[in-house]
Amino acid sequence: MSRFFARSDSESEESSSDDEITDKAPGATFKQSLLLSDDEEDTKRVVRSAKDKRFEELTNLIKTIRNAMKIRDMSKCLEEFEQLCRAFLKSKNIVDKEGIPPFYIRLLADLEDYLNQLWEDKEGKKKMNKNNAKALSTLRQKIRKYNRDFESEIAAYKENPQESADEEEEEKEPEDSGSSSDSEGEVSSKSFLKKKPEAPSEATDRSQTAKESEDKSSSSDEDDDDDDDDGDWSPSDSDSRSETSDKEEENALKRKRLVTFLKVKRSQDTEKPGVRKEERKKKPKQKEQIEEEAEEEGGWEKVNRGVPLVKEKPKMFAKGTEINTAVVVKKLNEILQARGKKGTDRAAQIELFHALAAIAAENNLGQGILVKIKFNIIASLYDYNPNLAAFMKPDMWKKCLDCIDELLDILFEHNNIFIGENIAEDSENLAVSDQPFRVRGCILTLVERMDEEFTKIMQNTDPHSQEYVDNLKDEGRVCGIVDRLLTYMENKGSTEEICRVYLRRIMHTYYKFDYKAHRRSLGLQGETKSEQDQEENKEENKEENKEENKEESEGEDSAVIMDRLCKFIYAKDRTDRIRTCAILCHIYHHALHSRWYQARDLMLMSHLQDNIQHADPPVQILYNRTMVQLGICAFRQGMIKDAHNALLDIQSSGRAKELLGQGLLMRNMQERNAEQEKIEKRRQVPFHMHINLELLECVYLVSAMLLEIPYMAAHEFDARRRMISKQFHHQLRVGERQPLLGPPESMREHVVAASKAMKMGDWRTCHSFIINEKMNSKVWDLFPEIQRVREMLVRKIQEESLRTYLFTYSSVYDSISMATLSEMFELEMPTVHSIISKMIINEELMASLDQPTQTVMMHRTEPTSLQNMALKLAEKLGNLVENNERVSDLKQGIYGGYFNRDQKGGYQQKQSYQRDGKSYQQKQSGYQRGGYRNQNQGNY
Amino acid sequence: MASRETTVFGTINQTIVVLKIIKHYQEEGQGSEVVQGVLLGLVVDDRLEITNCFPFPQHTEDDADFDEVQYQMEMMRSLRHVNIDHLHVGWYQSTYYGSFVSRALLDSQFSYQHAIEESVVLIYDPIKTAQGSLSLKAYRLTPKLMEICKEKDFTPEGLKKANIGFEQMFEEVPIVIKNSHLINVLMWELEDKSTVADKHELLNLSSSNHLEKSLQLLMDRVDDMSQDIVKYNTYSRNLSKQQQQKHQYLQRRQQENAQRQSRGEPPLPEEDISKLFKPPQPPPRMDTLLIAGQINNYCQNVKEFTSQNLGKLFMAEALQGHN
């Protein structure tokens, strides 16, 4: 502090004399300095980095503050200070990079001192007007708080005010020079940092030269310094003076910059050439470079400025350079270094790699280097899109496929190339051809990435456009590549790698229906079934693709392939995820080909249902898909209950679309922000793998109908009747709410209409609603074995209608002949017999069979509705009395008296009310949601 | 007035009133919907003669500014012009399977009876009437209930103090329907002309539908009752628990004071216990009472119905046996 004061004291006289001079001729100096700094101004205007802009803003604000300080305008000071703080916050990015600018610290320190001084000055304070006094106290508090954050810097500044003052100039100057010569702030700042140690010694020396060369500048230079200290000692300066000194300051700064810039250059030339070589490399203007460096230079220039490549191409290697592996590798590394940097032209980089590959090939540098370059080309192709969401452009994609194909070609041709992720960079062997090549890189990762890109492309293409079909045709190539990789890996790769590539293969196989195998199994080879013609476009595409890509496994069924691949994974895989995926795909494939028992056994044996909720979303989606396919498969096989249970979880949520990854549901934004939406979008399954949602819903509703309608009929009067399927009931209610019932239009309406018919036991109408032209085209035709499914459906409808009929109308009959029933429902006698017997055994129907006359004798033990009601009432009254007793118990002060009343059994004989409560519960448990597994396991 | 309260009111209806009420229901009421109207008449000795009535218009949501009082005054004035009794003596209401004992009825009857001492409420049961026997009943609130309603004290204690049960809520007033002689003559004539078929309803043997409905309603009420009882149960349990706590607290305080006294210190000041222990909110018991009344009503209905039906069934059996 003392030192600071001493200095400012000594200078005070000098500057005051300066004041007079500047007062006399402010205009002249201004003009002069303008002239001097003209050329620099120009360059400054052209390129100004963000840092410059911000700092200028700051300095301007600081200037105003200083002015306000001088005239003791506290309110203005406060205002400006607040602005300054804001501006500083705004430039935080730059400050973080550059460090806090010293001039800023200087202002803070000065301002605080100044304020303290004013505060001490009681007299002066009294004289101040109210506003100013108020502003002063606020500002004082504010700055105190604010300065706490910069304590160390301020302390440093106070320790050595001069140095920090110099530092400021120092900082400004290289940055300016940088901006004038090239726009790379980073580089210049680096060079500045390197120079820093020299700064103090230079400072004195520089100020001398500056004084010698220009009187004016030196005087204003001092002036500049003084201004900073002004606050300490000359608060009563006049307005005009501060204005002029402002201008002076600016001019002086400019001039100084010029001087120091020259100076630095000069000193660079003379001092330590070794160190500065690095720096010079980064300043492309300096052209005296050696040949090797020229390459680097070229690389840098191309990348930085984005100069058209064609021109630069010859520059890749200087003429006459002997092109060998080392040189190419070096070049490769150079290109690689630019990767990921801002401003790097990625397309150009890819071109560069290609050119390099061509050169390498030209000069016969061996396969090792070629492989290496190929790896990099593919990697940079993937890098082309900066964010994950965007997908590859078609030409990029083609290029990528070609590249991978070529790479695989090379790998197949040359057995002596080892590739692997864990080969270290320096242990690579690219040149020596008599030893096996060793190249760092992982073909598997590349192919996996390619597969993902393919998925991404499919996700981002409109599924109803021709483009989608075109893109889908590429799947053949993708599969081909995966297959080739598979054969390659089988020879060379480790088990884990084989597992990974197998999974890829499985992922491309599991959802495709193997028509050939299907036809073979039906013995219809070569004969095109009409149903197949009706298959959707995408299905045909699928098949086409498969035929393309499975040329080598022509004879093999996809089932066999799946079996082989999956079993390998089950045996060898160590990571849980791959195995889970493989199992799910395997189940899916089984289910798709109607191998219900295999699929179900695999699902139950894997115990996936227990812990699937812990898996990651994509696996869960796969699980959901598998469950749905399993349910549909069960339906085709006529296992209605299994179908219903498998589909229940997906359908009951009402979010089937989302759960299957086939589209996003419209939801309000608060539930999901943009970020989440992006993630969810990435999880979507491409269109060609979709499961038809209408089919899914229809299968679910029809199976629910087949279960629910007889159940409803059986338990019409049961108070505790439970719904088997909420969704189905919802559909029924919606149907009932219709004011006007026209002929059914949608699939749902059809099912509802059919349900109504079935309720009346009218199976013919039900049948005509479920199976007709409309429903065929909407739903049933999507099944591969349509005829069988239809037959099954008809039969089920007949059976369940019979059951419903018996439940509903049994009270009307005393006896009914089975022959009549069989005629009514067009079922064979034995079937009718078995259905009725089953109902009797299950105590659903109170009846007995009279063998000689083939009739069903009703026993009439079913209570009438009135009786049912009375029973219910009795039960309720029992409850009421019980509750009442509790109240009276309480009144008599027997606490807990009702806890042991159960033994007394006063009103607890509810069993007598519940006619067959037990059997209900047993039956109901089977319909509970979790019951699916338990039941099935019980069956084994 | 006081003397009249104790005497049993007899009401005399003119046929026109009955017919008007029936007509009103036929025109406007369907199913469980309820129609209401105003009774007009005058008090003669200890009888209340109801000589005319007019319906309340069915007002919907969209004419909310409809002024009922205004309408009534207007109506009465008009009736007066045509020389009809215009004294307000009560109101009538239709019912659905005898469900009329409700809070709304209680409130409005209370306000009627409060304003016009002699007013009654006529309950018309269209369903029973449709089965062949006119069902029209007149009710009044008992003086006890009037008192309770006046005090608005529906807490358990209040009701206990009033010592009121569901049986003593309403008193039924006997009804006599009188016709003018001319009408009587006409009726005789009509009876002669009418065929037997018109009277078949009376012998209708099907009973389950009516019974089912009644049971359904009864069940609903029973459910409500159970709920109320459970509520009351929790309340009384809470109350007793709190009572215990209060007791314990007081005992502790007493002990402490005794100790303090023995040590020669001044006793602790008595604090307001009711502040420390806020008594739980007692559930209003009036609804329970009403439900009980309603249940009673249903039971009466069912009993009546079944006894009649049993008679019919025996009759039918005897007839069959005879044939």
Side-chain angles (χ1 to χ4, degrees):
Chain A
M1 206 59 197
S2 60
R3 208 184 130 193
F4 177 64
F5 267 117
R7 201 180 74 88
S8 62
D9 265 354
S10 68
E11 276 174 356
S12 66
E13 286 158 309
E14 203 186 325
S15 70
S16 63
S17 62
D18 279 347
D19 282 348
E20 281 151 33
I21 304 164
T22 46
D23 267 346
K24 273 169 203 163
T29 29
F30 186 59
K31 249 184 198 167
Q32 198 183 5
S33 55
L34 241 185
L35 275 173
L36 267 168
S37 57
D38 217 356
D39 52 346
E40 243 192 86
E41 280 274 47
D42 273 349
T43 47
K44 213 177 149 195
R45 216 172 291 141
V46 176
V47 258
R48 214 161 57 150
S49 66
K51 182 188 150 200
D52 280 350
K53 228 160 60 187
R54 291 279 176 227
F55 279 8
E56 197 171 296
E57 198 185 336
L58 288 180
T59 33
N60 282 340
L61 281 167
I62 288 172
K63 240 179 273 164
T64 5
I65 290 179
R66 287 199 189 281
N67 286 346
M69 272 157 71
K70 268 170 224 150
I71 56 167
R72 286 195 165 193
D73 187 350
M74 279 301 108
S75 46
K76 171 109 196 207
C77 218
L78 176 64
E79 205 176 285
E80 293 296 321
F81 178 70
E82 272 163 4
Q83 265 185 33
L84 181 67
C85 291
R86 246 170 278 146
F88 187 71
L89 263 185
K90 245 193 267 168
S91 54
K92 194 154 188 328
N93 276 344
I94 293 151
V95 170
D96 283 348
K97 216 159 55 187
E98 305 282 331
I100 303 161
F103 56 85
Y104 189 71
I105 295 298
R106 194 150 50 133
L107 175 89
L108 289 180
D110 290 351
L111 193 58
E112 194 176 11
D113 288 341
Y114 172 65
L115 287 173
N116 283 338
Q117 208 181 352
L118 269 190
W119 193 254
E120 300 299 317
D121 185 10
K122 300 273 189 229
E123 285 299 308
K125 228 164 61 180
K126 266 175 207 162
K127 268 184 237 159
M128 255 183 224
N129 66 22
K130 220 177 175 183
N131 267 346
N132 263 350
K134 209 169 153 193
L136 172 64
S137 53
T138 353
L139 185 55
R140 190 164 159 269
Q141 271 168 4
K142 260 205 181 139
I143 198 145
R144 246 196 218 164
K145 212 184 277 171
Y146 195 75
N147 278 3
R148 230 168 272 159
D149 296 338
F150 302 96
E151 232 162 339
S152 58
E153 284 93 340
I154 290 170
Y157 163 68
K158 280 180 181 168
E159 275 287 301
N160 193 359
Q162 178 58 54
E163 191 187 320
S164 359
D166 282 340
E167 228 171 307
E168 181 204 1
E169 313 303 334
E170 191 70 16
E171 164 135 359
K172 268 200 179 124
E173 147 265 301
E175 155 215 318
D176 265 38
S177 68
S179 64
S180 60
S181 53
D182 70 0
S183 59
E184 262 198 59
E186 240 181 282
V187 178
S188 65
S189 78
K190 252 187 237 162
S191 66
F192 163 64
L193 282 173
K194 270 177 205 151
K195 251 181 289 163
K196 224 178 181 177
E198 305 168 18
S201 64
E202 245 178 41
T204 47
D205 159 81
R206 185 205 61 192
S207 63
Q208 272 173 15
T209 39
K211 260 180 195 161
E212 276 168 43
S213 59
E214 266 175 56
D215 284 357
K216 277 287 178 219
S217 86
S218 74
S219 67
S220 54
D221 182 18
E222 293 294 339
D223 197 5
D224 176 44
D225 275 352
D226 292 346
D227 263 353
D228 307 329
D229 308 331
D230 260 355
D232 294 329
W233 54 274
S234 60
S236 55
D237 267 348
S238 71
D239 239 345
S240 65
R241 187 222 162 253
S242 61
E243 246 181 28
T244 49
S245 70
D246 253 340
K247 280 172 198 159
E248 291 263 297
E249 195 178 305
E250 208 175 70
N251 296 338
L253 272 175
K254 281 171 197 156
R255 237 171 288 143
K256 219 195 282 174
R257 263 179 229 145
L258 187 70
V259 171
T260 42
F261 179 57
L262 289 170
K263 166 88 181 136
V264 170
K265 243 190 168 177
R266 216 186 304 142
S267 63
Q268 269 179 359
D269 284 343
T270 51
E271 279 174 31
K272 298 183 220 160
V275 178
R276 239 159 314 96
K277 219 176 178 181
E278 291 289 315
E279 286 171 39
R280 220 180 300 153
K281 234 183 273 165
K282 279 155 203 167
K283 285 184 186 164
K285 290 258 157 102
Q286 297 173 325
K287 288 271 182 180
E288 350 85 81
Q289 307 258 357
I290 345 166
E291 265 196 351
E292 277 109 16
E293 278 182 325
E295 304 162 10
E296 277 181 39
E297 171 68 76
W300 273 102
E301 273 193 340
K302 260 171 255 155
V303 168
N304 286 342
R305 299 212 199 135
V307 178
L309 263 159
V310 202
K311 278 183 200 166
E312 301 287 345
K313 242 177 193 165
K315 267 192 164 183
M316 187 94 102
F317 293 104
K319 262 181 198 159
T321 319
E322 193 204 341
I323 293 171
N324 55 23
T325 317
V327 173
V328 173
V329 170
K330 201 171 176 191
K331 180 78 193 148
L332 189 66
N333 285 334
E334 277 160 33
I335 302 171
L336 275 180
Q337 265 158 19
R339 196 176 147 190
K341 287 217 175 97
K342 248 187 195 169
T344 311
D345 186 351
R346 287 181 294 267
Q349 221 185 355
I350 292 165
E351 287 301 321
L352 263 175
F353 278 127
H354 273 296
L356 201 60
I359 290 172
E362 236 173 67
N363 290 292
N364 268 331
L365 287 182
Q367 299 303 329
I369 194 81
L370 214 53
V371 168
K372 174 104 180 143
I373 295 170
K374 286 267 187 241
F375 267 127
N376 283 312
I377 292 174
I378 297 163
S380 57
L381 277 169
Y382 291 146
D383 272 354
Y384 187 72
N385 277 322
N387 59 346
L388 265 169
F391 59 102
M392 273 181 156
K393 290 197 196 87
D395 53 331
M396 284 291 177
W397 169 242
K398 290 271 177 301
K399 229 185 264 176
C400 179
L401 283 181
D402 291 341
C403 249
I404 293 179
D405 254 344
E406 281 167 32
L407 185 58
L408 279 169
D409 281 341
I410 295 170
L411 289 177
F412 270 111
E413 276 169 32
H414 303 275
N415 237 347
N416 57 347
I417 299 174
F418 287 106
I419 52 173
E421 283 174 289
N422 33 19
I423 296 172
E425 202 79 52
D426 42 3
S427 69
E428 280 181 334
N429 177 15
L430 303 171
V432 193
S433 49
D434 43 344
Q435 280 168 17
F437 291 114
R438 291 167 68 83
V439 182
R440 180 186 166 82
C442 180
I443 179 85
L444 181 57
T445 325
L446 290 180
V447 172
E448 279 179 339
R449 181 73 197 269
M450 172 202 73
D451 198 28
E452 276 156 27
E453 288 292 341
F454 178 67
T455 316
K456 229 187 272 176
I457 290 173
M458 295 320 284
Q459 280 169 352
N460 283 293
T461 319
D462 174 21
H464 303 291
S465 63
Q466 186 60 36
E467 198 189 346
Y468 193 87
V469 179
D470 291 341
N471 282 339
L472 198 57
K473 281 178 185 153
D474 281 339
E475 216 223 346
R477 285 194 70 184
V478 174
C479 289
I481 287 172
V482 173
D483 267 341
R484 291 182 65 189
L485 182 68
L486 192 136
T487 35
Y488 180 76
M489 279 297 172
E490 273 172 349
N491 293 329
K492 294 237 170 125
S494 65
T495 4
E496 282 104 81
E497 284 171 326
I498 294 176
C499 281
R500 269 162 72 187
V501 73
Y502 272 11
L503 183 66
R504 285 288 149 190
R505 179 75 174 84
I506 289 168
M507 284 298 201
H508 278 285
T509 316
Y510 79 94
Y511 61 90
K512 292 169 186 158
F513 191 79
D514 192 351
Y515 280 98
K516 265 189 222 137
H518 180 57
R519 241 175 289 156
R520 245 199 313 275
S521 70
L522 290 180
L524 296 168
Q525 186 93 42
E527 192 183 323
T528 333
K529 289 271 288 176
S530 61
E531 60 183 80
Q532 203 201 317
D533 293 339
Q534 287 164 8
E535 284 303 322
E536 279 178 34
N537 196 13
K538 59 169 188 178
E539 296 265 0
E540 277 171 30
N541 267 327
K542 266 191 231 164
E543 202 190 359
E544 265 177 40
N545 287 327
K546 222 166 37 166
E547 274 169 40
E548 268 175 45
N549 66 53
K550 276 206 334 185
E551 273 155 25
E552 72 266 52
S553 57
E554 181 66 38
E556 232 173 343
D557 282 356
S558 68
V560 180
I561 299 172
M562 283 295 287
D563 211 46
R564 185 166 56 82
L565 300 185
C566 288
K567 278 190 177 141
F568 181 84
I569 289 179
Y570 301 155
K572 295 280 165 43
D573 178 55
R574 295 273 162 270
T575 64
D576 225 18
R577 192 177 182 276
I578 291 180
R579 192 172 346 133
T580 309
C581 287
I583 291 173
L584 287 174
C585 292
H586 203 176
I587 296 169
Y588 190 103
H589 195 258
H590 276 319
L592 191 66
H593 294 86
S594 298
R595 292 189 290 271
W596 155 249
Y597 287 103
Q598 278 118 302
R600 187 196 60 181
D601 293 354
L602 198 53
M603 179 58 102
L604 293 173
M605 278 191 301
S606 64
H607 288 283
L608 276 175
Q609 284 157 314
D610 301 328
N611 44 22
I612 194 69
Q613 64 267 24
H614 305 303
D616 50 354
V619 178
Q620 280 191 23
I621 287 176
L622 183 60
Y623 170 78
N624 289 337
R625 284 165 58 78
T626 307
M627 274 318 268
V628 165
Q629 199 58 248
L630 200 59
I632 293 174
C633 172
F635 183 78
R636 278 194 308 242
Q637 303 295 311
M639 320 269 180
I640 300 299
K641 202 186 249 177
D642 292 314
H644 179 266
N645 284 326
L647 299 180
L648 181 65
D649 281 339
I650 304 292
Q651 275 292 316
S652 62
S653 63
R655 297 186 301 148
K657 203 170 160 197
E658 201 182 357
L659 290 176
L660 293 177
Q662 300 189 355
L664 302 175
L665 284 185
M666 283 301 156
R667 278 193 280 161
N668 41 355
M669 287 314 279
Q670 57 191 17
E671 269 184 73
R672 172 179 67 192
N673 52 29
E675 193 57 37
Q676 267 171 304
E677 192 172 323
K678 254 185 227 160
I679 294 171
E680 276 174 47
K681 262 199 187 132
R682 234 176 288 147
R683 284 186 201 137
Q684 297 306 305
V685 175
F687 183 73
H688 60 282
M689 296 162 72
H690 279 195
I691 295 169
N692 190 319
L693 286 176
E694 194 165 24
L695 170 72
L696 160 65
E697 193 178 353
C698 180
V699 165
Y700 175 76
L701 284 179
V702 168
S703 34
M705 176 187 85
L706 291 176
L707 291 175
E708 185 86 66
I709 296 290
Y711 181 77
M712 273 163 71
H715 302 283
E716 211 182 337
F717 304 117
D718 188 359
R720 286 167 301 136
R721 176 168 63 107
R722 261 180 247 168
M723 281 186 265
I724 296 174
S725 158
K726 265 204 178 121
Q727 238 217 336
F728 179 67
H729 274 273
H730 175 73
Q731 291 305 338
L732 280 187
R733 272 198 301 275
V734 168
E736 272 164 24
R737 244 181 275 145
Q738 295 287 319
L740 190 67
L741 266 183
E745 278 295 324
S746 68
M747 176 272 299
R748 284 177 199 163
E749 282 168 5
H750 271 104
V751 176
V752 169
S755 309
K756 276 186 187 147
M758 194 189 226
K759 240 188 220 167
M760 313 300 288
D762 182 357
W763 77 271
R764 262 174 247 271
T765 324
C766 179
H767 172 215
S768 70
F769 277 130
I770 291 291
I771 297 172
N772 53 29
E773 274 303 304
K774 247 186 217 162
M775 289 292 270
N776 275 349
S777 64
K778 263 183 189 145
V779 183
W780 304 126
D781 285 347
L782 298 177
F783 285 134
E785 304 155 294
I786 175 172
Q787 207 50 48
R788 228 166 51 99
V789 173
R790 273 198 217 124
E791 276 159 22
M792 180 277 296
L793 253 179
V794 174
R795 177 137 189 116
K796 284 280 167 198
I797 288 172
Q798 285 168 339
E799 285 174 14
E800 295 303 325
S801 296
L802 170 61
R803 273 161 55 82
T804 315
Y805 184 82
L806 283 177
F807 282 133
T808 317
Y809 298 111
S810 66
S811 60
V812 185
Y813 288 102
D814 267 332
S815 62
I816 182 166
S817 134
M818 281 205 280
T820 323
L821 284 177
S822 121
E823 200 181 305
M824 269 171 84
F825 293 94
E826 288 182 15
L827 287 166
E828 311 83 57
M829 277 290 270
T831 325
V832 175
H833 186 267
S834 81
I835 289 173
I836 292 174
S837 307
K838 218 173 180 179
M839 283 168 81
I840 291 170
I841 289 167
N842 288 338
E843 294 185 351
E844 292 171 326
L845 188 69
M846 297 302 156
S848 56
L849 286 171
D850 188 46
Q851 207 59 46
T853 52
Q854 288 288 323
T855 47
V856 188
M857 310 292 295
M858 300 298 170
H859 285 182
R860 300 233 160 271
T861 48
E862 286 287 316
T864 62
S865 65
L866 182 63
Q867 282 163 329
N868 260 320
M869 202 91 89
L871 284 171
K872 252 198 268 179
L873 179 65
E875 200 176 312
K876 280 184 177 168
L877 284 174
N879 277 336
L880 181 65
V881 173
E882 202 173 310
N883 283 332
N884 215 13
E885 292 247 321
R886 287 183 192 185
V887 174
S888 63
D889 276 357
L890 209 63
K891 281 230 171 89
Q892 287 154 14
I894 315 168
Y895 299 111
Y898 45 84
F899 288 124
N900 43 30
R901 193 148 28 81
D902 288 45
Q903 281 108 38
K904 283 187 247 160
Y907 296 94
Q908 300 290 320
Q909 293 156 335
K910 269 192 236 153
Q911 285 86 336
S912 56
Y913 302 135
Q914 297 168 343
R915 203 171 37 83
D916 45 2
K918 252 191 196 166
S919 64
Y920 281 174
Q921 272 160 6
Q922 272 172 359
K923 264 179 269 161
Q924 276 156 1
S925 69
Y927 294 122
Q928 281 164 10
R929 284 176 56 129
Y932 171 61
R933 190 167 48 249
N934 303 339
Q935 242 182 350
N936 279 317
Q937 277 167 344
N939 286 345
Y940 297 149
Chain B
M1 287 295 251
S3 64
R4 191 176 285 157
E5 267 178 38
T6 48
T7 56
V8 180
F9 253 108
T11 30
I12 291 179
N13 268 4
Q14 293 282 349
T15 324
I16 186 167
V17 177
V18 180
L19 290 177
K20 264 179 136 177
I21 292 172
I22 293 173
K23 186 165 170 261
H24 183 199
Y25 176 81
Q26 293 299 346
E27 278 170 0
E28 285 184 16
Q30 304 121 353
S32 55
E33 234 171 87
V34 159
V35 297
Q36 292 175 324
V38 173
L39 298 174
L40 301 172
L42 67 163
V43 180
V44 181
D45 299 330
D46 56 352
R47 291 169 309 172
L48 177 71
E49 290 193 7
I50 303 167
T51 52
N52 214 323
C53 68
F54 62 86
F56 286 142
Q58 215 85 331
H59 54 262
T60 43
E61 297 289 324
D62 38 272
D63 47 13
D65 53 343
F66 177 77
D67 189 353
E68 231 169 88
V69 180
Q70 184 72 26
Y71 172 78
Q72 282 183 29
M73 300 313 281
E74 201 68 32
M75 200 66 190
M76 282 195 272
R77 203 170 300 134
S78 307
L79 286 170
R80 191 179 180 181
H81 284 312
V82 291
N83 222 3
I84 288 173
D85 288 325
H86 59 272
L87 291 175
H88 207 156
V89 294
W91 58 299
Y92 69 85
Q93 190 196 319
S94 72
T95 172
Y96 178 70
Y97 287 105
S99 56
F100 60 88
V101 188
S102 67
R103 194 60 187 259
L105 181 117
L106 178 74
D107 286 346
S108 49
Q109 178 59 19
F110 169 71
S111 60
Y112 266 104
Q113 231 167 303
H114 194 63
I116 306 157
E117 171 63 39
E118 63 273 4
S119 44
V120 292
V121 53
L122 273 185
I123 304 292
Y124 162 65
D125 190 339
I127 291 158
K128 245 192 217 172
T129 309
Q131 279 169 344
S133 57
L134 175 67
S135 163
L136 200 63
K137 291 201 169 132
Y139 289 99
R140 281 171 56 80
L141 302 187
T142 54
K144 255 189 199 166
L145 194 61
M146 283 298 288
E147 247 167 66
I148 295 169
C149 286
K150 239 178 249 174
E151 282 164 24
K152 301 233 175 277
D153 180 16
F154 299 135
T155 56
E157 280 74 32
L159 292 182
K160 208 170 163 188
K161 208 169 67 194
N163 195 18
I164 191 166
F166 63 90
E167 306 94 337
Q168 295 130 14
M169 289 171 72
F170 296 94
E171 53 182 350
E172 201 182 331
V173 186
I175 299 176
V176 179
I177 301 174
K178 262 195 169 176
N179 294 329
S180 73
H181 297 303
L182 276 174
I183 290 177
N184 278 337
V185 169
L186 177 71
M187 292 297 284
W188 280 114
E189 217 178 292
L190 280 178
E191 200 164 26
D192 273 352
K193 279 182 189 167
S194 72
T195 52
V196 191
D198 292 347
K199 292 176 182 174
H200 266 191
E201 287 144 339
L202 206 64
L203 293 174
N204 192 353
L205 281 177
S206 81
S207 58
S208 56
N209 192 26
H210 189 266
L211 274 178
E212 265 174 40
K213 280 270 161 52
S214 299
L215 276 181
Q216 192 72 55
L217 291 164
L218 186 57
M219 241 185 287
D220 291 347
R221 291 298 102 188
V222 169
D223 275 347
D224 291 347
M225 185 72 139
S226 298
Q227 269 177 16
D228 267 9
I229 282 188
V230 169
K231 252 187 237 163
Y232 182 69
N233 204 0
T234 21
Y235 160 73
S236 39
R237 225 179 317 164
N238 285 346
L239 195 68
S240 68
K241 213 186 278 170
Q242 205 176 50
Q243 217 90 36
Q244 261 186 334
Q245 278 175 347
K246 212 195 271 186
H247 195 67
Q248 278 178 352
Y249 176 79
L250 281 178
Q251 266 190 336
R252 236 182 299 136
R253 183 50 70 88
Q254 259 177 355
Q255 273 181 348
E256 207 168 314
N257 272 351
Q259 278 181 354
R260 274 167 166 270
Q261 226 163 15
S262 65
R263 272 181 283 165
E265 287 170 34
L268 289 171
E270 283 297 316
E271 283 166 40
D272 195 4
I273 299 174
S274 61
K275 256 185 204 165
L276 273 172
F277 297 99
K278 272 215 179 99
Q281 188 71 33
R285 296 296 287 160
M286 198 61 203
D287 292 330
T288 322
L289 217 54
L290 284 171
I291 291 169
Q294 181 67 66
I295 288 175
N296 186 34
N297 209 13
Y298 283 139
C299 289
Q300 294 294 340
N301 270 351
V302 171
K303 214 167 84 185
E304 204 177 307
F305 185 80
T306 44
S307 59
Q308 275 177 14
N309 260 35
L310 270 180
K312 279 190 250 175
L313 284 173
F314 276 121
M315 216 155 72
E317 197 183 18
L319 267 174
Q320 259 196 332
H322 188 72
N323 285 346

